Amino acid sequence: MPIKSKNILILGGGIGGMVTARDLRKHLGDQHKIILIDKNAFHTFQPSYFWLVIGWRTPADITKPFAPLEKYGIEFHQGEVMDILPEEQKVVTDREVLSYDYLVISMGTENDFDVMPELRNVSHTFYTFEGAIELSKIIPRFPGGSINIIVPDLDHKYLPAPYDTAFLLSSFYKKREMYNIDINIITPEQSPLEFAGKEISGQIQELLDQNKIKLYSNTVIKSIDPQKKIIHTENSHEISYDLLISIPKHRPIRLPHRKSLMDDKGWFIVDKYSLQTSYKNIYAIGDATSIILDNGKKLPKAGVFANNQAEVVAYNIVQSIYESREKKNFSGYGFFFIETGTGRAANLHGNFYTESSPKLTLTEPNVTFHWGKVVLEKYWIWRWF
Ligand SMILES: Cc1cc2nc3c(=O)[nH]c(=O)nc-3n(C[C@H](O)[C@H](O)[C@H](O)COP(=O)(O)OP(=O)(O)OC[C@H]3O[C@@H](n4cnc5c(N)ncnc54)[C@H](O)[C@@H]3O)c2cc1C
């Protein structure tokens, strides 16, 4: 019997959405329609924002328009998703209403500056494309003083970010023989990369010490005085700064609340292996989901998980369309290249779905892992666009 043609909608053209779209296209015949929706006309590769800040990349290097995806048989519709109607199998954007047979939600998170509204005015952030571009102009002109990387809340995507940034900046200024710059990290974390366990925290702390980067751990920011350039902390410390770089808390993207799809906060609820929601034909992946691990903590939000989950979901949709019972599960495995400066990176990898706490390993920093990250980025831009 011929297979009926299907309409597959993918919401969000970030890491998860792109992998889903391309994997589906590779395995599905032309009679099946793959539509990618994004509010922006361009994809930007977020892991390269670090390199944008220190001038290793230009904005154009890490930006690609979605429209040419049509040449691969992926229809691109620009539009902001306003609502998902699971019972009617429809998605409403600010421009149109689209029907689907299968839906994959990969709309990531929003930065939440409302937690500390003053951060918008007193700090810079590389967590947005525009912010990273702005910082790329400030960093090379910084004359000297204290650069404080502040983490107001641990609910932020890509938990290693404060450390990557500190190591890269330290290396950037050392190369310019600017020794009048102090780099500090202020974070509520008890120890660096707390989620990875004591041993790895110790390894990161050693690297921070070697680079003379001061870590204010277990420190919650109470307020910031931009006139005096002082941060007041909950434990009554006053920390002065000349340049503030903030890592914003994340929140779910704003959509009308659908109890059958989302938890109280608005994160999509999924089966942690299949990424299926309570609807058989709706999947959610990547940062937009909240996956609780066996130790009660949340699966960190990172591109590597969005990527691996997308591969599982694309595979399972193909199997479902071809009426095969074969299915794949997301294993919980992830790896990160953590930039440690001087052209090196360490590799943090392991499985987050182990029974107790994630079992992770951090390698010694080396040049190969840094180049591994470069190759990954180049491959991403080349393969998907
Ligand atoms: C500076 C920085 C460095 C990072 N480095 C790493 C790293 O080294 N390794 C790693 O694993 N992860 C890293 N990450 C995290 C990684 O980028 C994210 O976890 C990953 O992009 C999540 O993928 P996603 O598909 O879930 O969401 P995203 O990639 O964020 O994609 C979401 C997409 O949805 C679109 N969208 C949002 N709302 C709507 C709407 N209402 N309507 C239509 N479209 C919408 C957005 O425009 C976007 O294109 C980094 C993040 C940052 C900010």
Side-chain angles (χ1 to χ4, degrees):
M1 221 172 60
I3 289 167
K4 263 182 75 185
S5 68
K6 302 287 183 199
N7 235 8
I8 305 153
L9 278 192
I10 300 161
L11 310 184
I15 291 184
M18 280 305 303
V19 174
T20 312
R22 293 298 306 271
D23 267 20
L24 283 171
R25 189 70 290 164
K26 202 161 70 187
H27 297 290
L28 288 177
D30 290 346
Q31 76 270 34
H32 304 293
K33 216 171 180 180
I34 298 166
I35 301 175
L36 181 75
I37 300 174
D38 203 286
K39 60 182 178 183
N40 297 318
F42 292 85
H43 169 93
T44 58
F45 189 57
Q46 295 173 47
S48 299
Y49 289 2
F50 294 123
W51 295 341
L52 192 53
V53 169
I54 55 165
W56 286 0
R57 294 291 180 274
T58 65
D61 290 336
I62 60 165
T63 309
K64 288 284 167 187
F66 287 117
L69 289 174
E70 308 262 344
K71 69 176 182 249
Y72 301 116
I74 297 165
E75 241 180 68
F76 174 64
H77 291 218
Q78 191 177 355
E80 180 158 0
V81 174
M82 309 300 280
D83 204 355
I84 298 167
L85 309 171
E87 301 300 338
E88 296 167 44
Q89 302 204 172
K90 285 189 171 37
V91 166
V92 183
T93 78
D94 56 350
R95 300 176 187 198
E96 60 191 327
V97 178
L98 290 149
S99 303
Y100 61 81
D101 297 299
Y102 292 90
L103 180 68
V104 182
I105 301 159
S106 188
M107 286 187 283
T109 60
E110 278 182 7
N111 292 323
D112 183 0
F113 288 102
D114 296 341
V115 171
M116 270 195 100
E118 64 260 48
L119 286 183
R120 278 186 204 278
N121 303 323
V122 301
S123 72
H124 301 271
T125 186
F126 57 92
Y127 260 54
T128 63
F129 187 49
E130 298 72 24
I133 295 171
E134 190 184 284
L135 267 172
S136 72
K137 294 173 189 147
I138 294 168
I139 292 299
R141 296 193 194 120
F142 185 64
S146 292
I147 300 181
N148 289 4
I149 300 161
I150 56 173
V151 182
D153 194 297
L154 279 180
D155 269 342
H156 67 82
K157 63 181 160 188
Y158 199 55
L159 288 168
Y163 305 101
D164 285 80
T165 318
F167 292 131
L168 282 173
L169 288 178
S170 165
S171 174
F172 177 89
Y173 290 117
K174 266 188 218 142
K175 208 169 167 196
R176 280 158 187 73
E177 298 184 351
M178 289 178 70
Y179 300 108
N180 58 342
I181 292 172
D182 295 322
I183 297 172
N184 305 311
I185 301 173
I186 301 167
T187 172
E189 265 194 316
Q190 305 291 322
S191 57
L193 292 189
E194 193 186 338
F195 72 91
K198 272 195 182 138
E199 202 179 319
I200 291 173
S201 278
Q203 286 173 268
I204 298 284
Q205 184 61 58
E206 241 174 68
L207 289 168
L208 291 170
D209 294 343
Q210 281 164 20
N211 285 278
K212 299 194 171 60
I213 296 165
K214 186 162 169 56
L215 176 73
Y216 292 88
S217 54
N218 199 11
T219 303
V220 177
I221 297 169
K222 195 166 139 199
S223 62
I224 297 169
D225 181 339
Q227 262 76 45
K228 293 187 181 148
K229 295 202 162 186
I230 286 180
I231 298 167
H232 297 277
T233 71
E234 293 280 359
N235 47 4
S236 307
H237 277 118
E238 290 188 349
I239 307 167
S240 61
Y241 68 87
D242 296 291
L243 176 65
L244 270 192
I245 299 179
S246 62
I247 298 197
K249 184 181 190 289
H250 57 223
R251 67 176 168 217
I253 44 145
R254 271 177 269 205
L255 286 177
H257 193 262
R258 300 261 163 238
K259 230 176 159 181
S260 56
L261 284 174
M262 304 163 187
D263 67 15
D264 294 351
K265 296 210 167 86
W267 300 111
F268 288 91
I269 307 167
V270 290
D271 174 84
K272 70 178 192 177
Y273 297 108
S274 68
L275 289 314
Q276 215 160 24
T277 65
S278 61
Y279 296 86
K280 263 185 151 177
N281 60 344
I282 305 182
Y283 299 81
I285 57 175
D287 290 358
T289 63
S290 177
I291 294 179
I292 307 297
L293 303 175
D294 285 354
N295 63 5
K297 300 207 166 130
K298 293 178 210 148
L299 179 71
K301 298 195 186 301
V304 64
F305 298 129
N307 184 114
N308 296 352
Q309 293 169 352
E311 287 173 359
V312 167
V313 165
Y315 182 87
N316 290 345
I317 291 176
V318 172
Q319 297 308 312
S320 163
I321 290 175
Y322 290 126
E323 293 170 5
S324 152
R325 286 171 163 265
E326 211 186 304
K327 291 270 183 297
K328 271 189 185 166
N329 277 336
F330 170 56
S331 68
Y333 179 80
F335 72 91
F336 312 98
F337 293 118
I338 301 176
E339 291 281 5
T340 54
T342 59
R344 284 157 209 270
N347 181 241
L348 176 66
H349 60 272
N351 197 323
F352 285 73
Y353 278 5
T354 46
E355 266 170 27
S356 49
S357 289
K359 295 268 174 295
L360 307 177
T361 307
L362 182 73
T363 64
E364 282 293 315
N366 66 34
V367 176
T368 312
F369 288 131
H370 166 70
W371 282 104
K373 191 162 183 165
V374 174
V375 169
L376 204 136
E377 177 215 45
K378 298 279 174 225
Y379 181 71
W380 176 267
I381 302 277
W382 166 78
R383 182 174 180 210
W384 302 126
F385 293 93

